[in-house]
């Protein structure tokens, strides 16, 4: 790894010389823009808008455009004269609980390595910070921009997580936030059951980039002069209109894919609670309500049939026996809806 920054951790009156290294790297497959007909590279030139002349990189400066269209030109000397106290220091401001730092603030991660002369104070601060259960809130200047950051311990090494400033976080302003959306208790309980079914310990090693693997297969096939092989694609599932039915189907599918979690929350295979937990009771109540509506409808239909039978004239003993036989057959053929 190549260091991207060199300076010191300023901790009170203690200075620890360190270097920063990028802790992550992109694994995306890189492409060039080329002409479709022959693969020739497409190049871009830096040209001045005023006359179209090409501009060398050494002659390029930064410009700030004013509201009237005029431009203020800032050179490297202008930036060098700015009072940036953290240009070569990681300035420790305070120590805070990590759970109080919203992850939306985090931007990029860097490993922090001590110089040989700073190994002892580095280890001292590392061990003390690990025992405290907190992270250090610091300031650092990277690429001529001062940033907030956190300093925490991972695998025996300090990790610097740069952060954005609070005024750079956008407010979520969406219409649905002002609307009243009613969620039934049994729907909430069913969603909680789905969450419990999919609950697991975080293990990033279990996941891979399927798109990148498929793209690499296409490139390899092109190199070998073979026809690219398309990976199998699962047929899209039809959306379920009823929310409770969709939740039940989701739980059933989750339990097929995660058999170890089946029954962990005391729910049946179709998501109905069979224990005394609030979630199970709410699910059972919702299912019982649906089943009750179905039974009530069946009872009304049975009463109507009975009334029609009474109104019909008697047809003798054989007819009565036949009618009773048909009624018994009808009752036995009527499906009983169980609580879901």
């Amino acid at each position: 790894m190549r260091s991207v920054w060199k300076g010191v951790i300023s901790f009170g009156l203690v200075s620890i010389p360190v270097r920063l290294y990028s802790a992550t790297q992109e694994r995306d497959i890189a492409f060039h823009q080329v002409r479709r007909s022959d693969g020739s590279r497409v190049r871009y030139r830096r040209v001045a808008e005023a006359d179209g002349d090409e501009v060398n990189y050494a002659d390029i400066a930064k410009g700030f455009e004013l509201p009237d269209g005029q431009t203020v030109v800032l050179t490297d000397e202008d930036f060098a004269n700015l009072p940036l106290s953290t240009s070569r220091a990681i300035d420790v401001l305070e120590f805070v609980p990590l759970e109080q730092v919203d992850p939306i603030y985090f931007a990029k991660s860097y490993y922090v390595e001590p110089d040989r002369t700073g190994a002892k104070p580095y280890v001292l601060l590392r061990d003390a910070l690990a025992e405290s259960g907190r992270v250090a809130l610091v300031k650092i200047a990277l690429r001529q921009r001062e940033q907030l950051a956190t300093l925490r311990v991972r695998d025996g090494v300090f990790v610097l997580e740069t952060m954005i400033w609070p005024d750079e976080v956008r407010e979520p302003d969406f219409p649905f936030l002002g609307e009243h959306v009613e969620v039934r208790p049994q729907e909430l309980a069913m969603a909680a059951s789905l969450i419990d079914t999919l609950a697991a310990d975080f293990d990033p090693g279990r996941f891979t980039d399927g798109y990148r693997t498929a793209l690499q297969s296409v490139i390899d096939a092109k190199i070998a002069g073979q026809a690219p092989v398309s990976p199998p694609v699962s047929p899209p599932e039809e959306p379920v209109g009823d929310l409770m039915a969709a939740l039940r189907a989701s739980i059933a599918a989750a339990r097929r894919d995660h058999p170890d979690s089946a029954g962990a929350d005391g729910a049946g295979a179709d998501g109905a609670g069979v224990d005394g937990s609030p979630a199970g009771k709410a699910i059972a109540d919702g299912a019982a309500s649906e089943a009750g509506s179905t039974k009530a409808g069946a009872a009304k239909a049975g009463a109507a049939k009975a009334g029609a039978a009474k109104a019909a004239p008697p047809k003798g003993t054989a007819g009565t026996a036949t009618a009773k036989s048909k009624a018994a057959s009808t009752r036995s053929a009527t499906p009983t809806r169980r609580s879901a």
Side-chain angles (χ1 to χ4, degrees):
M1 291 189 291
R2 185 171 61 88
S3 64
V4 297
W5 184 90
K6 183 179 179 180
V8 298
I9 297 176
S10 178
F11 174 49
L13 298 179
V14 179
S15 295
I16 309 172
V18 294
R19 288 183 173 90
L20 293 189
Y21 301 83
S22 293
T24 59
Q25 58 182 344
E26 294 289 340
R27 291 289 190 182
D28 286 345
I29 298 174
F31 294 99
H32 297 298
Q33 288 188 325
V34 299
R35 187 163 54 192
R36 186 186 299 272
S37 60
D38 59 359
S40 177
R41 285 283 300 273
V42 175
R43 302 286 186 178
Y44 292 91
R45 296 187 308 152
R46 297 181 178 89
V47 297
E49 188 179 80
D51 50 21
D53 290 344
E54 188 169 357
V55 182
N56 294 324
Y57 187 79
D59 297 328
I60 295 177
K62 291 181 173 64
F64 179 80
E65 187 175 353
L66 300 176
D68 60 2
Q70 296 187 33
T71 301
V72 176
V73 178
L74 298 175
T75 64
D76 292 340
E77 289 75 17
D78 294 323
F79 288 100
N81 293 329
L82 291 176
L84 199 57
S85 59
T86 55
S87 59
R88 286 298 170 192
I90 300 173
D91 191 12
V92 178
L93 304 177
E94 54 192 21
F95 297 93
V96 300
L98 178 60
E99 60 270 16
Q100 292 183 2
V101 184
D102 193 318
I104 198 171
Y105 289 107
F106 293 132
K108 187 172 174 57
S109 303
Y110 297 90
Y111 287 132
V112 184
E113 179 200 30
D115 280 353
R116 289 185 178 181
T117 58
K120 183 173 181 179
Y122 180 99
V123 171
L124 175 63
L125 178 58
R126 180 199 66 187
D127 293 348
L129 186 60
E131 290 181 6
S132 73
R134 294 174 177 261
V135 296
L137 187 66
V138 304
K139 269 187 178 183
I140 183 174
L142 291 173
R143 300 177 183 88
Q144 295 181 329
R145 184 175 187 265
E146 193 169 59
Q147 296 176 273
L148 277 177
T150 59
L151 204 60
R152 63 184 179 88
V153 181
R154 182 181 187 272
D155 295 335
V157 177
F158 275 133
V159 175
L160 183 88
E161 305 271 2
T162 59
M163 303 166 63
I164 59 176
W165 294 99
D167 60 357
E168 295 176 320
V169 179
R170 295 176 175 177
E171 289 292 331
D173 185 16
F174 304 108
F176 83 95
L177 292 175
E179 301 172 358
H180 175 68
V181 180
E182 184 178 359
V183 177
R184 295 186 299 166
Q186 51 266 38
E187 292 171 340
L188 185 60
M190 190 71 78
S193 179
L194 177 58
I195 292 174
D196 290 339
T197 303
L198 293 174
D201 292 328
F202 179 59
D203 180 10
R206 295 190 297 113
F207 306 98
T208 57
D209 187 347
Y211 177 82
R212 189 180 72 196
T213 301
L215 180 58
Q216 187 63 56
S217 299
V218 171
I219 295 173
D220 293 341
K222 286 271 191 178
I223 294 173
Q226 302 171 355
V229 179
S230 300
V233 179
S234 302
E237 296 184 0
E238 293 294 330
V240 182
D242 180 68
L243 181 57
M244 289 292 286
L247 288 169
R248 288 195 187 94
S250 299
I251 292 174
R255 285 181 176 151
R256 285 195 302 269
D257 296 336
H258 302 76
D260 294 341
S261 63
D265 59 347
D270 59 354
V274 295
D275 60 0
S277 66
K281 185 176 184 303
I283 295 171
D285 289 346
S289 176
E290 294 181 5
S293 300
T294 304
K295 289 180 179 178
K300 289 182 180 179
K305 289 182 180 179
K310 288 182 180 180
K315 295 184 179 180
T317 305
T320 304
T322 303
K324 290 181 178 180
S325 176
K326 288 183 178 180
S329 175
T330 302
R331 285 195 299 272
S332 63
T334 303
T336 301
R337 172 135 185 205
R338 297 183 179 180
S339 298

